[in-house]
Amino acid sequence: GASVQMETTVGAGTALRLTLPMRLSRERALVFGQGGLLYAIPARQVLDLISLRDQNVCEVVGGSAVWHRESMLPLSSMAATLGAVSEARQRPVEPLGIIVSTGTERWAFSLTEVIGDFELLRKPCDELLTANLGYVGSATLDDGRLVLYPNLPALLHRARDSRIAYKRSIPALRRRILIVDDS
């Protein structure tokens, strides 16, 4: 959908005009591998990349949490959130953590591998991928590998819902109150 125009003026030179549709964008993104596929999150939404081996990961009601820059953040498996593995199956060891932000919310995800930080030409996905699987774009690395951009707000929503489902599966404690009157 792009167009190229070339204008040449004798003695003055040649001007090239490249017009890209607004649906295409060039941006820096962190590319990571998960379940044999490559995914990207725009660098502007990545706050930090951490080693979970160096962090104190706490088990809390609903899952795990990690301390990051003076606040406790929920920690979810990226593989499980993307649907690459189920929570019930044994997940591979995920030694890395990525802290992401949507502007209003921060979340930590555990990862198995980070491929690197790349400048990518992001193209929109087919509506079928967008509607059913929650991807908002795709790109291609220089070596030809396909990279998918998950919809980050939808990803956080999915992670939040899995934590709520976990909380609901914990049986409610039956509490008793003893009232004593010694009048």
Side-chain angles (χ1 to χ4, degrees):
S3 66
V4 178
Q5 296 175 341
M6 183 170 70
E7 296 176 8
T8 303
T9 307
V10 178
T14 302
L16 291 172
R17 178 176 295 162
L18 177 64
T19 306
L20 293 174
M22 287 300 292
R23 295 172 19 149
L24 298 178
S25 64
R26 190 158 197 81
E27 65 185 351
R28 292 217 62 82
L30 180 75
V31 176
F32 59 93
Q34 208 65 60
L37 298 173
L38 296 180
Y39 300 94
I41 294 180
R44 69 180 181 281
Q45 293 180 304
V46 176
L47 298 178
D48 211 348
L49 186 62
I50 58 175
S51 169
L52 292 177
R53 291 185 179 123
D54 301 336
Q55 302 293 319
N56 185 15
V57 177
C58 305
E59 293 303 315
V60 296
V61 174
S64 301
V66 65
W67 187 260
H68 182 260
R69 294 189 186 167
E70 302 173 8
S71 64
M72 193 64 91
L73 297 178
L75 175 67
S76 298
S77 164
M78 183 65 82
T81 307
L82 287 169
V85 299
S86 70
E87 284 286 356
R89 284 191 340 194
Q90 183 66 26
R91 290 194 316 255
V93 175
E94 297 173 319
L96 302 171
I98 181 174
I99 311 297
V100 297
S101 171
T102 60
T104 58
E105 190 172 10
R106 294 185 313 151
W107 202 278
F109 287 100
S110 58
L111 302 171
T112 53
E113 67 173 326
V114 172
I115 306 302
D117 184 44
F118 297 93
E119 179 113 4
L120 299 173
L121 181 63
R122 178 175 163 173
K123 299 170 233 165
C125 278
D126 184 77
E127 289 181 23
L128 182 65
L129 283 174
T130 303
N132 295 326
L133 299 175
Y135 298 112
V136 294
S138 66
T140 307
L141 293 179
D142 290 340
D143 62 6
R145 292 183 289 171
L146 178 68
V147 179
L148 295 171
Y149 280 84
N151 181 344
L152 192 56
L155 200 63
L156 293 183
H157 181 72
R158 206 174 313 155
R160 197 177 318 105
D161 282 353
S162 70
R163 292 173 84 84
I164 291 169
Y166 177 82
K167 286 180 189 176
R168 287 188 188 141
S169 70
I170 298 173
L173 297 175
R174 187 171 174 197
R175 298 186 178 175
R176 298 174 187 218
I177 299 173
L178 175 64
I179 300 173
V180 177
D181 181 13
D182 69 348
S183 55

